[in-house]
Each structure stands twice: as C-alpha cells, then as structure tokens.
Amino acid sequence: MDKSALLVIDVQNVMFDESNPIYEGEQLLRNLQDLINNARTANVPVFYVQHNDEEFENGTTSWEIHSSITPNDGEVVIQKHTPDSFHETELQDKLEERQIQNLVIAGNQTEYCIDTTSRRAFSLGYNVTLVKDAHTTWDSDTLCAKQIINHHNEVLGNAFATLKETKEIQFL
C-alpha cells in the first residue's frame, strides 16, 4: 500500500469506561495494536483523531487516547469537534503534505465518526479501506452494536470503501 496512512479515530478513554463500555472494546484495542505495529514497522504514518465536546473535554483523562495505543513522538494527532475528521481540521493538509492516497480507517464510533469520515475521505478522492473488525459502537435503542457494525460494513463496503479484516491489512 504505497502512499498509505492508518487513521485511528476517537479511541479515547471514556469509550472504555467500565460503567458503559463500548462493544468488544478489548478486541478492538488488540486489533488496533496490531494495525499500528504493522504500520510503524512498514514506516506507514499513523494519524490519530481525537474528539472534543462536553463528554470528551480536552485535557481530561476521559479525553485522552487510550494508553494501549499511545501515539509515538512525531505522529500526528488531529483535534475535531464533529463526526467528520476532515471538517475544520488540518487532516487534509497533513495528508497532502505526505502525499497520502490510501487511507486505512479504524476506531470509534461506527455510525458517526467512522461512517462520516469514510464517506468524506471517499468524496475527497482517497482510496479507503475500512478495517471491518477494527471499529465499534454501543447498542442503540433500536439495534444492537453488532447489527450497527454489520450494517455499516455492508453500506460502506458497497460504495465507499474496501473492507478488510485486521489480519488482511498489509502495509509492506
């Protein structure tokens, strides 16, 4: 995957709070660790996105990126305020600086930030790979988390992204 980057979206401590943990959060973290390690080994840039709002208040422990996937020095961390990782952020500029054409997307939350960022990346002309076993969410009032994930994998995979499992991602 030449000219590629790994985009890790909103993997912040609040999502792993024991009182309301995200669906299969421990498996998500293991998959993200594998993806990040593989990207770093292949010298593929890893970009982190961090959400900011009332629940994700900048500078708090809840807001911090989960310690199991802490960014290395020099890795880009983008701050955002909407589900779209490109909207009013420097993500596009940072990707263009590195001539990135292919984005491998993983993280949280399936029906918001993963969906919106995947669609926007596609619209901006990126080749998008969605890691179908490396994004997650919570149950909603009408659907369980697994149904939400499966639905978005199907929709995004039909028009906006290539779907791959963590073990299928090859950065070399």
Side-chain angles (χ1 to χ4, degrees):
M1 282 191 195
D2 194 28
K3 304 289 186 188
S4 296
L6 174 61
L7 187 61
V8 179
I9 301 172
D10 299 350
V11 183
Q12 294 165 257
N13 286 332
V14 72
M15 298 190 159
F16 301 90
D17 186 312
E18 290 179 13
S19 66
N20 186 25
I22 201 151
Y23 175 74
E24 293 190 351
E26 292 305 314
Q27 183 62 52
L28 172 71
L29 291 172
R30 285 190 294 274
N31 290 347
L32 290 171
Q33 289 165 352
D34 288 346
L35 290 167
I36 292 165
N37 289 335
N38 291 340
R40 289 173 178 162
T41 298
N43 293 316
V44 168
V46 180
F47 290 79
Y48 291 82
V49 178
Q50 212 168 5
H51 194 78
N52 295 267
D53 63 18
E54 302 80 32
E55 188 177 7
F56 299 89
E57 187 178 340
N58 191 315
T60 64
T61 301
S62 297
W63 166 84
E64 291 174 357
I65 294 171
H66 196 276
S67 62
S68 70
I69 62 158
T70 301
N72 282 347
D73 289 341
E75 289 179 328
V76 176
V77 179
I78 302 292
Q79 303 300 315
K80 69 175 180 62
H81 300 277
T82 72
D84 181 349
S85 298
F86 292 93
H87 182 70
E88 296 180 356
T89 72
E90 40 180 25
L91 179 58
Q92 177 77 6
D93 292 337
K94 297 291 185 185
L95 294 171
E96 287 177 356
E97 284 173 14
R98 291 163 180 81
Q99 300 178 322
I100 301 299
Q101 298 169 356
N102 306 300
L103 285 179
V104 176
I105 297 177
N108 294 314
Q109 183 177 355
T110 299
E111 69 273 36
Y112 295 106
C113 304
I114 296 298
D115 179 85
T116 305
T117 298
S118 295
R119 290 171 188 255
R120 180 74 182 274
F122 173 83
S123 295
L124 291 170
Y126 291 97
N127 299 311
V128 178
T129 299
L130 177 61
V131 188
K132 66 183 183 177
D133 62 348
H135 64 91
T136 192
T137 190
W138 289 270
D139 293 343
S140 73
D141 291 338
T142 54
L143 297 171
C144 72
K146 185 67 177 162
Q147 290 171 313
I148 295 168
I149 294 164
N150 288 342
H151 171 77
H152 281 79
N153 280 339
E154 183 179 336
V155 170
L156 293 171
N158 280 334
F160 302 100
T162 300
L163 297 178
K164 290 189 177 183
E165 292 185 6
T166 299
K167 66 184 177 188
E168 296 176 295
I169 301 295
Q170 300 294 319
F171 290 109
L172 296 175

